[in-house]
């Protein structure tokens, strides 16, 4: 919360841009979902760069949504791979639980049901916990693809209880966002990102 308070409007504007991408890109026929899964995970790292800037006493900027461009290709690949793991889990659960095809959302005439959406999000958050720190290891620490995943998995194993609690609280924030027609997500996304940044600093002993 202390990080978010240093630039609340910027954080919320970044969240709005990310949400717009999540809504609009999948609507593009045939390639929309693929583009979203390749690009949006990198754009979402803008919230991590903004948290880093706020922590250093700098001012977060909207331009940090594209800060990933300066990262090595292996770092970008690690971020996308971690996000794909989560997406595959969500897509599988959505299909099994409600028959909804997240790979081709335009093929569904009725859309995803509320129950299926909640179950898919819950599974996605659960699966995301072991790879929570992959972006930090890859983008901020310059670790290799394999090392980033290994460090994140080891950190999750050492801190299972607090990270599960973090996941539960993140899920609660997402639910608040959904029941407020997405408005609450303007706060939920930056708060979750800043919390994961704080957890990374604490767990990895970052000054």
């Amino acid at each position: 919360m202390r990080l978010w308070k240093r630039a609340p409007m910027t954080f919320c504007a970044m969240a709005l841009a990310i949400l717009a991408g999540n809504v609009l890109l999948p609507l593009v026929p045939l390639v929309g979902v693929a583009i979203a899964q390749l690009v949006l995970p990198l754009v979402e790292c803008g919230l991590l760069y903004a948290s880093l800037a706020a922590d250093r006493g700098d001012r977060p900027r909207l331009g940090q949504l594209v800060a990933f461009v300066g990262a090595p290709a292996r770092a970008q690949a690690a971020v996308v791979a971690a996000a794909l793991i989560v997406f595959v889990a969500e897509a599988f659960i959505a299909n099994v639980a409600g028959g909804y095809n997240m790979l081709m959302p335009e093929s569904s005439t009725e859309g995803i049901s509320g129950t299926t959406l909640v179950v898919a999000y819950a599974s996605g958050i659960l699966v995301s916990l072991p790879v929570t720190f992959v972006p930090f290891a890859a983008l901020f620490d310059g670790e290799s693809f394999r090392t980033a995943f290994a460090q994140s998995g080891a950190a999750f194993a050492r801190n299972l209880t607090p990270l599960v609690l973090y996941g539960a609280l993140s899920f609660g924030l997402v639910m608040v966002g959904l029941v407020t027609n997405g408005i609450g997500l303007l706060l939920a996304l930056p708060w979750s990102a800043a919390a994961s940044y704080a957890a990374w600093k604490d767990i990895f002993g970052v000054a």
Side-chain angles (χ1 to χ4, degrees):
M1 289 296 291
R2 287 194 297 270
L3 295 174
W4 175 80
K5 286 179 180 178
R6 293 176 185 176
M9 296 304 296
T10 301
F11 275 111
C12 289
M14 295 174 79
L16 179 60
I18 291 169
L19 289 173
N22 274 283
V23 171
L24 298 177
L25 279 178
L27 299 180
V28 178
L30 300 178
V31 297
V33 173
I35 294 174
Q37 298 312 311
L38 292 174
V39 175
L40 288 180
L42 296 169
V43 174
E44 290 167 2
C45 288
L47 292 172
L48 305 183
Y49 281 107
S51 298
L52 175 64
D55 190 31
R56 289 177 170 176
D58 298 330
R59 190 164 187 82
R61 305 181 309 277
L62 281 174
Q64 285 162 334
L65 287 171
V66 294
F68 68 87
V69 173
R74 68 175 186 276
Q76 296 183 34
V79 172
V80 172
L84 283 175
I85 291 172
V86 178
F87 176 75
V88 168
E90 291 177 339
F92 175 77
I93 294 299
N95 186 262
V96 171
Y100 183 78
N101 187 355
M102 291 180 65
L103 296 174
M104 299 181 64
E106 69 277 3
S107 65
S108 176
T109 57
E110 298 180 358
I112 188 170
S113 69
T115 301
T116 302
L117 184 64
V118 169
V119 173
Y121 271 131
S123 64
I125 289 177
L126 183 62
V127 171
S128 74
L129 295 179
V131 296
T132 295
F133 303 111
V134 168
F136 299 101
L139 296 174
F140 295 170
D141 291 337
E143 301 292 355
S144 68
F145 185 98
R146 178 178 295 183
T147 302
F149 277 89
Q151 288 187 355
S152 183
F156 171 70
R158 293 195 309 268
N159 300 274
L160 182 63
T161 300
L163 285 175
V164 169
L165 177 59
Y166 160 76
L169 293 173
S170 296
F171 176 73
L173 287 175
V174 170
M175 292 302 100
V176 171
L178 293 179
V179 299
T180 56
N181 293 320
I183 296 176
L185 292 175
L186 298 180
L187 298 176
L189 294 183
W191 288 353
S192 293
S196 65
Y197 171 84
W200 166 68
K201 285 191 64 177
D202 186 31
I203 292 172
F204 288 87
V206 179

